[in-house]
Structures are given as structure tokens and as C-alpha cells.
């Protein structure tokens, strides 16, 4: 099946620095990718929709200047957490969708990135 | 946006069949129902997807009644490794993108 790869799998950074997380679709082209964050024992919360060649669409309450998303190619989307603070520590997950021939859409998820801000 | 409601948690024993039901009263005509499994510190993994009636694959079955306002994921003969969180999702179409909104999920614990 289709594979979505995230990098890095875990990262520790100092407060005030920026961290970039990459999401790649390895064997298919993804016009749309999604970024989620997940706190311990909670569900995934959709942060933004990343569209190749255009601006990302952010969900309500997500700061677009803090979570920069770039989708420069059909196989790569990046999420940059700018000026990270301890409260940004979380599990970040990306997904990419492939429209199905019958109107369905299948989403494939990366393995996630554990961000710890110290 | 179609919202889903699932039991927060379920307990089972090895070898039993587990049925997890999800309510999605506001499902749209074009929406599919998809179930994902998530282990700690991993991304969700696709289990099964359906539109109506019954779908079966090598790991699970999905039962969808005619009104499509609910669905039931059936896991036959669970093992300890099936302990995970299971999410029922209904895709939302907005602005030509297809967003998946996660509900609370069902935390399944399989005991020996």
C-alpha cells in the first residue's frame, strides 16, 4: 500500500527555536496533505490542510504564523513550528489522501513526530 | 461536518469477537465510513472502509445499516496485540478537499 513517511520521528529542541517536520508520500503524488497534533490520551486534532502549490488552510484556533506549512511539491509537505515553547510539545502526525475511483478517499498516515520543547 | 460518537473504552478477552459501534447521524450522501487503528506513539493505520451494507477484509468486517447513521466494526477473535484505540471517521468534503475529522475513538483493551 501507499506509504507516508515523516521525519524526524522524535525531536527535542530548546524553547524559542524553530523545528521543521517533513512529510513525504513515497510512492504516490499527494495534492492534499493534512497535519494533526495529538496530546497524550487524546484524539488527533486537525491543524491544517496543506494544498500543493497554494496556501494551507488552517483550522480555527491554529496560529498560521506559528505553524508554517509549505507544500512545494506533490510528494512533500513541511510543518515548521516557529519559536517553539513547552506547550507546543506534542505528537504531530501528517496524512496524505488519494481520491478513489468511486468517490471515496483513502488517507495514509505518517508514523508521527514526537516534539519535546525544553 | 458529520460528527461521530463512539464508546470511550471497551474491554475484551483474547479469542473473543469485539464489536465497536459508531454513530454518525449527519453523514452526507457522498461520505464513506472509515475505521483506523492507532497504537501509542504511532500514526493511525487503516483498517476498513465502506459505504453501505457489509464489507469484509482479512482483519475486520464493517456493518452499515441502510440508513447509514451508524456502523459497526467487528474484530473476530481478538488477540493482545489488538489493544489499541479505534477511530471511526466520516470524511467531510469542503472546498474540494477531503478532511478527516477524528472523534474521541474507542480505547480497546484485550486481556489474556
Amino acid at each position: 500500500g501507499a506509504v507516508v513517511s515523516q521525519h524526524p520521528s522524535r525531536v527535542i529542541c530548546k524553547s524559542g527555536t524553530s523545528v521543521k517536520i517533513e512529510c513525504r508520500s513515497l510512492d504516490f503524488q499527494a495534492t492534499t496533505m493534512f497535519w494533526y497534533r495529538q496530546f497524550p490520551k487524546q484524539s488527533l486534532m486537525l491543524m491544517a490542510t496543506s494544498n500543493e502549490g497554494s496556501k494551507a488552510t488552517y483550522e480555527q484556533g491554529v496560529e498560521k504564523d506559528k505553524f508554517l506549512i509549505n507544500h512545494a511539491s506533490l510528494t512533500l509537505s513541511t510543518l515548521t513550528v516557529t519559536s517553539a515553547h513547552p506547550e507546543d510539545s506534542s505528537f504531530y502526525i501528517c496524512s496524505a489522501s488519494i481520491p478513489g475511483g468511486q468517490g471515496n478517499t483513502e488517507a495514509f498516515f505518517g508514523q508521527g513526530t514526537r516534539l519535546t520543547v525544553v | 461536518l458529520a460528527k461521530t460518537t463512539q464508546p470511550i473504552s471497551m474491554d475484551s478477552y483474547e479469542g473473543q469477537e469485539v464489536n465497536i459501534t459508531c454513530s454518525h447521524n449527519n453523514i452526507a450522501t457522498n461520505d464513506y465510513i472509515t475505521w483506523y487503528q492507532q497504537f501509542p506513539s504511532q500514526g493511525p493505520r487503516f483498517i476498513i472502509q465502506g459505504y453501505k451494507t457489509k464489507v469484509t477484509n482479512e482483519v475486520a468486517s464493517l456493518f452499515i445499516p441502510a440508513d447509514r447513521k451508524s456502523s459497526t466494526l467487528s474484530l473476530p477473535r481478538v488477540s493482545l496485540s489488538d489493544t489499541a484505540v479505534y477511530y471511526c471517521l466520516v470524511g467531510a468534503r469542503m472546498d474540494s478537499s477531503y478532511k478527516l475529522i477524528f472523534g474521541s475513538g474507542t480505547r480497546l483493551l484485550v486481556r489474556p
Side-chain angles (χ1 to χ4, degrees):
Chain A
V3 176
V4 173
S5 178
Q6 255 183 269
H7 178 81
S9 58
R10 57 178 67 232
V11 58
I12 301 173
C13 71
K14 290 185 177 180
S15 188
T17 62
S18 295
V19 173
K20 180 185 284 188
I21 302 170
E22 293 186 347
C23 179
R24 294 182 184 272
S25 57
L26 296 186
D27 53 0
F28 66 101
Q29 294 183 329
T31 55
T32 305
M33 290 185 176
F34 302 91
W35 287 96
Y36 297 83
R37 68 186 297 181
Q38 185 176 33
F39 293 109
K41 304 288 188 186
Q42 294 188 22
S43 182
L44 285 75
M45 184 191 82
L46 180 65
M47 298 174 67
T49 302
S50 173
N51 301 298
E52 187 268 335
S54 64
K55 289 184 180 180
T57 306
Y58 290 82
E59 295 299 303
Q60 193 172 9
V62 178
E63 300 174 58
K64 59 181 68 175
D65 293 332
K66 180 165 187 63
F67 299 100
L68 300 179
I69 291 172
N70 184 279
H71 195 153
S73 78
L74 286 170
T75 59
L76 174 64
S77 175
T78 59
L79 168 68
T80 301
V81 183
T82 62
S83 187
H85 290 282
E87 56 265 30
D88 298 323
S89 298
S90 188
F91 192 55
Y92 293 87
I93 307 169
C94 72
S95 76
S97 295
I98 300 177
Q102 298 174 338
N104 57 326
T105 296
E106 186 165 352
F108 300 92
F109 290 83
Q111 66 268 47
T113 298
R114 173 77 58 195
L115 170 64
T116 304
V117 185
V118 297
Chain B
L1 298 178
K3 197 173 177 181
T4 59
T5 304
Q6 305 173 231
I8 296 294
S9 64
M10 292 182 71
D11 278 19
S12 184
Y13 291 92
E14 277 191 294
Q16 288 188 333
E17 177 185 79
V18 172
N19 295 309
I20 307 174
T21 297
C22 176
S23 297
H24 29 78
N25 291 317
N26 298 320
I27 188 169
T29 303
N30 294 334
D31 285 339
Y32 277 69
I33 301 154
T34 312
W35 285 79
Y36 287 86
Q37 176 191 56
Q38 187 184 27
F39 296 112
S41 297
Q42 294 186 27
R45 190 176 75 170
F46 174 88
I47 301 175
I48 197 166
Q49 183 180 73
Y51 184 79
K52 61 181 179 180
T53 63
K54 177 183 174 182
V55 180
T56 297
N57 61 22
E58 62 275 8
V59 298
S61 294
L62 179 59
F63 299 92
I64 305 170
D67 65 5
R68 303 199 330 120
K69 293 184 184 298
S70 67
S71 59
T72 299
L73 173 72
S74 181
L75 304 173
R77 300 182 60 79
V78 294
S79 63
L80 296 178
S81 61
D82 292 318
T83 292
V85 179
Y86 292 83
Y87 293 98
C88 158
L89 278 78
V90 175
R93 294 192 181 275
M94 289 181 67
D95 301 323
S96 76
S97 62
Y98 196 89
K99 331 200 270 194
L100 293 178
I101 307 297
F102 282 77
S104 59
T106 298
R107 193 171 295 273
L108 173 65
L109 173 62
V110 180
R111 301 176 187 275

